[in-house]
Amino acid sequence: MALIIDLKPSERIIIGDALITNDTARTRLHIEGDAPILREKDILKPDEADSPSKRIYLMIQLMYLSHDPKELHQDYFKAVKELQDAVPSTSVTFMRINDFILDGQYYKALKEAKKLISYEKELLSHATA
């Protein structure tokens, strides 16, 4: 069964190793296969990874798009340990993310990592209030 993605005008998407930019009209794509796919709204650029949770999200994104994601595991788990040591309340979220990563389900790990970014924002908003 094909994955159906509707793209807005000028919206970007990564499919496998290719960055695709839509033209000026809405487009509907039917994608079959198992290439990694990231919509523009889910893509984090390296210069936007300006917090610990965003840097972790970026590492998971790179794993998802990589042909050999295990090369990135050591750096990822080191960053996770540092963040968990600083914010122990992230442990439950990291347990879910790590399970997905170790099972090779990087897209699901990305979705969980988005929750981590939201949690970090919430913590920081309380700290500055």
Side-chain angles (χ1 to χ4, degrees), residues 4-7 26-30:
I4 298 171
I5 296 179
D6 290 311
L7 295 177
R26 287 188 76 83
T27 302
R28 176 171 281 184
L29 301 175
H30 296 253

Side-chain angles (χ1 to χ4, degrees), residues 106-120:
Y106 298 103
Y107 187 77
K108 289 182 179 181
L110 272 177
K111 292 299 179 188
E112 284 296 319
K114 274 200 169 193
K115 295 176 188 175
L116 184 68
I117 292 170
S118 296
Y119 182 63
E120 181 182 60

Side-chain angles (χ1 to χ4, degrees), residues 1 4 8 12 15 18-19 21-22 31 34 36 40 56 61 67 70 75 89 103-104 119 124:
M1 181 171 189
I4 298 171
K8 299 173 191 164
R12 299 169 130 198
I15 301 176
L19 174 63
T21 303
N22 192 22
I31 304 167
D34 60 357
E40 185 170 18
I56 287 171
Q61 175 181 294
H67 293 287
K70 291 182 181 177
D75 290 337
S89 58
D103 200 29
Y119 182 63
L124 289 173

